[in-house]
């Protein structure tokens, strides 16, 4: 991520997904806080993001869009409960990002079957590359 606006946009998108079910689980908050730290967003600015409206900026590269989708998917699973509204929201976000819906569904299904919801990054990229052929 290059600009502060892009970083805030990514985090706002994640906050929106985390709260789509009407609850913000402690694990989701911790995950969001870790991402904020990774993006060099201060605790004060992080807390302020919960009071802002979502303004999604387009993510320039496909790799960055896949990375953001995967962050969202990990966030969705981190509370141990997969809500239908989260599942629908992440698919809608992925479509808005221009990601292939078949690849998105495959990744989400693999994560659901995985014991810790983690997918090897090479496998993740291969799933999206397959859709280009």
């Amino acid at each position: 991520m290059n600009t502060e606006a892009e970083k805030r946009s990514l985090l706002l998108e994640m906050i929106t997904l985390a709260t789509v079910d009407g609850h913000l689980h402690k694990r989701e908050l911790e995950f969001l806080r870790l991402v904020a730290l990774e993006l060099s967003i201060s605790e004060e600015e992080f807390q302020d993001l919960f009071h802002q409206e979502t303004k999604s900026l387009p993510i320039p590269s496909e790799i960055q869009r896949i990375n953001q989708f995967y962050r969202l998917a990990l966030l969705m699973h981190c509370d141990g409960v997969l809500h239908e509204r989260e599942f629908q929201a992440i698919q809608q976000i992925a479509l808005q990002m221009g990601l292939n819906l078949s690849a998105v569904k495959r990744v989400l299904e693999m994560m659901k079957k995985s014991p810790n919801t983690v997918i090897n990054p090479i496998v993740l990229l291969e799933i999206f590359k397959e859709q280009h052929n």
Side-chain angles (χ1 to χ4, degrees):
M1 292 293 91
N2 297 333
T3 69
E4 290 300 313
E6 289 173 329
K7 292 175 184 180
R8 282 191 300 276
S9 177
L10 291 177
L11 211 47
L12 278 168
E13 189 171 59
M14 294 179 77
I15 289 168
T16 299
L17 180 66
T19 57
V20 76
D21 62 357
H23 301 288
L24 181 61
H25 191 275
K26 183 180 178 185
R27 285 185 176 169
E28 291 171 324
L29 181 60
E30 290 170 6
F31 186 85
L32 289 167
R33 191 169 272 123
L34 285 173
V35 172
L37 183 63
E38 175 185 319
L39 296 174
S40 301
I41 293 176
S42 71
E43 179 64 26
E44 182 180 331
E45 188 176 0
F46 172 68
Q47 292 296 327
D48 188 50
L49 289 174
F50 285 90
H51 306 289
Q52 295 181 16
E53 289 190 31
T54 305
K55 296 180 226 169
S56 292
L57 297 175
I59 302 171
S61 79
E62 184 177 29
I63 296 292
Q64 289 175 326
R65 290 191 303 269
I66 292 168
N67 188 32
Q68 177 65 357
F69 161 73
Y70 186 57
R71 278 190 202 118
L72 291 167
L74 288 170
L75 174 64
M76 184 175 77
H77 285 92
C78 77
D79 65 355
V81 179
L82 184 60
H83 294 276
E84 183 60 30
R85 292 173 77 185
E86 289 174 327
F87 188 73
Q88 291 171 353
I90 197 169
Q91 288 184 70
Q92 184 62 37
I93 291 168
L95 282 174
Q96 290 170 348
M97 287 182 189
L99 296 177
N100 181 284
L101 191 57
S102 295
V104 166
K105 288 180 178 181
R106 278 187 61 200
V107 169
L108 293 174
E109 191 60 35
M110 285 181 74
M111 290 179 79
K112 190 190 298 185
K113 291 178 181 176
S114 174
N116 60 1
T117 69
V118 176
I119 296 176
N120 181 312
I122 295 169
V123 172
L124 178 69
L125 291 175
E126 286 298 319
I127 291 171
F128 282 95
K129 281 183 184 178
E130 287 173 9
Q131 300 305 317
H132 288 266
N133 295 329

